[in-house]
């Protein structure tokens, strides 16, 4: 689809595309709830960022949680190129992952519930791919905003690694990194599967239950 060569290793700073100084255009409002897509967000809201394959299906998994989710947004994170475009990310020369930003009310939905949704809706053992989608932008990743999120993410990774191993899966390849810049994806990517209900979704979980979040307030 693109003229760039697909690659399965992350670029270094010398290889990365230069990008641009200004953000690329994106949607003003969330397609489902009509709330502003970009900050500022209401007081008390917290942010989480996850990469679990193609962001079309990944974003849907989180907006379907319903109550407590303020907005979701498709975007790019964990790369080198400032303000990348979709085509640039797909080249593998920006280092970015396709991710979902989740802005949520922690009084209603817990971070552990978001982690459970993350783990159970993809295969985190596949490295630089997810199903038939191959490339660095499809890697599994959790991008944390504070030490509490990091501890919860690392604990959940260890627990789910054991659960997967018991079912014959290899080790988890998920990266857990501090959240750097989040770049909103183009308008047409935002809430794509709400706009295109029969659109492509390549996500598939392992069928292995993640036990974290059990006993927290039901969402």
């Amino acid at each position: 689809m693109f003229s760039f060569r697909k690659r399965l290793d992350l670029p270094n700073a010398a290889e990365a595309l230069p990008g641009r100084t200004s953000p690329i255009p994106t949607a003003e409002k969330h397609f489902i709830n009509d709330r502003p897509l970009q900050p500022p967000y209401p007081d008390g809201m917290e942010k989480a960022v996850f990469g679990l394959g193609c962001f079309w299906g990944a974003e849907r998994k989180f907006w379907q949680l319903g109550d407590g989710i303020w907005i979701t947004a498709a975007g790019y994170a964990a790369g080198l190129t400032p303000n990348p475009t979709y085509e640039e990310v797909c080249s593998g020369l920006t280092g970015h992952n396709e991710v979902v930003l989740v802005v949520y009310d922690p009084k209603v939905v817990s971070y552990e519930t978001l982690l459970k949704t993350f783990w159970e809706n993809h295969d985190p053992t596949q490295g630089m791919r997810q199903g038939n989608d191959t490339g660095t932008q499809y890697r599994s990743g959790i991008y944390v905003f504070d030490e509490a999120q990091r501890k919860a993410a690392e604990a959940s990774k260890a627990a789910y690694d054991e659960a997967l191993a018991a079912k014959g899966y290899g080790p988890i390849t998920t990266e857990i990194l501090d959240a750097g810049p989040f770049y909103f994806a183009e308008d047409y990517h935002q809430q794509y599967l709400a706009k295109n209900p029969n659109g492509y979704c390549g996500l598939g979980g392992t069928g292995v239950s993640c036990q974290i979040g059990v006993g927290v307030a039901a969402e």
Side-chain angles (χ1 to χ4, degrees), residues 40-82:
Y41 302 118
D43 290 344
M45 296 294 162
E46 295 185 2
K47 297 188 292 183
V49 172
F50 303 100
L52 55 156
C54 176
F55 52 18
W56 293 346
E59 186 186 6
R60 180 170 63 180
K61 295 296 183 182
F62 289 100
W63 84 55
Q64 286 178 336
L65 291 175
D67 291 345
I69 304 299
W70 184 255
I71 62 103
T72 57
Y76 314 116
L80 298 169
T81 299

Side-chain angles (χ1 to χ4, degrees), residues 100-121:
V100 178
L101 169 68
V102 184
V103 179
Y104 67 102
D105 184 346
K107 298 186 296 296
V108 180
V109 60
S110 67
Y111 186 63
E112 287 75 14
T113 296
L114 302 184
L115 287 169
K116 181 177 175 68
T117 300
F118 166 79
W119 292 119
E120 292 185 350
N121 285 288

Side-chain angles (χ1 to χ4, degrees), residues 34-191:
D34 206 39
R35 293 168 179 159
L37 198 67
Q38 300 190 56
Y41 302 118
D43 290 344
M45 296 294 162
E46 295 185 2
K47 297 188 292 183
V49 172
F50 303 100
L52 55 156
C54 176
F55 52 18
W56 293 346
E59 186 186 6
R60 180 170 63 180
K61 295 296 183 182
F62 289 100
W63 84 55
Q64 286 178 336
L65 291 175
D67 291 345
I69 304 299
W70 184 255
I71 62 103
T72 57
Y76 314 116
L80 298 169
T81 299
N83 299 297
T85 66
Y86 179 64
E87 288 81 3
E88 290 171 344
V89 171
C90 288
S91 77
L93 294 174
T94 73
H96 286 95
N97 199 2
E98 290 190 20
V99 300
V100 178
L101 169 68
V102 184
V103 179
Y104 67 102
D105 184 346
K107 298 186 296 296
V108 180
V109 60
S110 67
Y111 186 63
E112 287 75 14
T113 296
L114 302 184
L115 287 169
K116 181 177 175 68
T117 300
F118 166 79
W119 292 119
E120 292 185 350
N121 285 288
H122 76 303
D123 182 346
T125 70
Q126 295 190 330
M128 298 297 184
R129 71 181 181 91
Q130 194 59 215
N132 291 327
D133 292 327
T134 302
T136 55
Q137 80 268 30
Y138 300 120
R139 65 192 188 268
S140 177
I142 304 172
Y143 307 100
V144 299
F145 288 88
D146 55 35
E147 189 60 24
Q149 284 193 358
R150 177 173 288 278
K151 289 181 177 178
E154 290 178 345
S156 70
K157 179 179 178 180
Y160 202 52
D161 206 19
E162 288 187 8
L164 289 174
K167 296 295 185 180
Y169 284 87
I172 285 176
T173 60
T174 303
E175 61 184 16
I176 299 175
L177 303 173
D178 290 341
F182 172 87
Y183 300 107
F184 287 87
E186 293 85 343
D187 188 343
Y188 74 95
H189 289 302
Q190 303 301 337
Q191 301 83 61

